[in-house]
Amino acid sequence: MTGALVLASTSPQRRAILEQLRIPFTVRPADIAEEDDGPPVAIAQENALRKALAVAGSPVEGILGVDTVVSTGLDVWGKPPDEDAARETLRRLAGRTHSVVSGVAVVEAERVVHAFTARTEVTFRAVDEPLLEWYVGTGEWEDRAGGYAIQGRGAVLVERIEGDYLNVVGLPVAALVDAWPDLLAAAA
């Protein structure tokens, strides 16, 4: 990275992860129409690229665009728009394994310098109606791909994961550092 890091996202989880790593950054949200049709890997990668390119500008900035989707096969479980959709999403994921796929794009001087995807497999335990109603009642499902937050109360839904936990939270740090080792040079 040649200069300042810009996160093209309003995600509080992504901000918290970068703050935990003590990497200085600014937030410049991307106002884009997100793709939601197609194979999960393609959706995540396309949205990450769109976000990064939408806010690219200064040649001394590294723009980080990230998009995370939850899928079972080719079925994509986005952010539920309401409680009924959250219930349905969580019922469909209960007792099954799903993929959490993050697309990551780094743009410098309006040129894509790193683009990749990361995948983590998450298995939900069987969820009965009282647990489902409790979780939906927390409101934590709002603005979350797949309708849950593994780092919060949604942890009670999870039986196991295979892969990068932080990818499920919202930013695949290990893969990001592998692709962009200079990122840590700015860490305090």
Side-chain angles (χ1 to χ4, degrees):
M1 182 171 69
T2 57
L5 172 65
V6 176
L7 177 62
S9 171
T10 58
S11 166
Q13 294 76 29
R14 292 184 185 119
R15 288 195 311 260
I17 292 168
L18 289 172
E19 288 167 355
Q20 180 181 3
L21 295 172
R22 296 193 174 151
I23 296 171
F25 67 98
T26 58
V27 174
R28 191 179 308 148
D31 185 20
I32 63 156
E34 290 189 11
E35 182 65 46
D36 61 2
D37 188 36
V41 169
I43 292 170
Q45 190 61 68
E46 178 66 23
N47 288 337
L49 284 166
R50 287 182 185 186
K51 289 175 184 180
L53 290 169
V55 302
S58 169
V60 296
E61 295 177 325
I63 311 296
L64 176 60
V66 184
D67 188 61
T68 302
V69 299
V70 171
S71 68
T72 51
L74 292 178
D75 293 326
V76 175
W77 303 98
K79 299 172 184 173
D82 56 39
E83 285 188 1
D84 289 338
R87 279 185 197 90
E88 180 59 24
T89 298
L90 295 170
R91 279 187 187 111
R92 298 290 298 271
L93 297 176
R96 298 178 67 188
T97 299
H98 60 272
S99 296
V100 177
V101 179
S102 290
V104 179
V106 177
V107 172
E108 292 179 355
E110 298 184 356
R111 182 178 60 85
V112 177
V113 293
H114 305 288
F116 63 90
T117 57
R119 178 186 306 265
T120 303
E121 301 298 317
V122 178
T123 302
F124 269 17
R125 64 191 210 140
V127 177
D128 61 19
E129 285 301 308
L131 179 58
L132 178 67
E133 287 305 318
W134 170 81
Y135 187 70
V136 170
T138 69
E140 190 177 74
W141 56 268
E142 293 183 65
D143 205 31
R144 312 273 186 188
Y148 73 98
I150 195 170
Q151 73 280 10
R153 293 179 223 163
V156 303
L157 305 172
V158 177
E159 183 177 297
R160 71 177 173 277
I161 72 168
E162 295 176 38
D164 183 353
Y165 169 80
L166 288 177
N167 182 45
V168 183
V169 176
L171 185 63
V173 172
L176 178 59
V177 171
D178 285 348
W180 195 16
D182 292 347
L183 179 67
L184 295 179

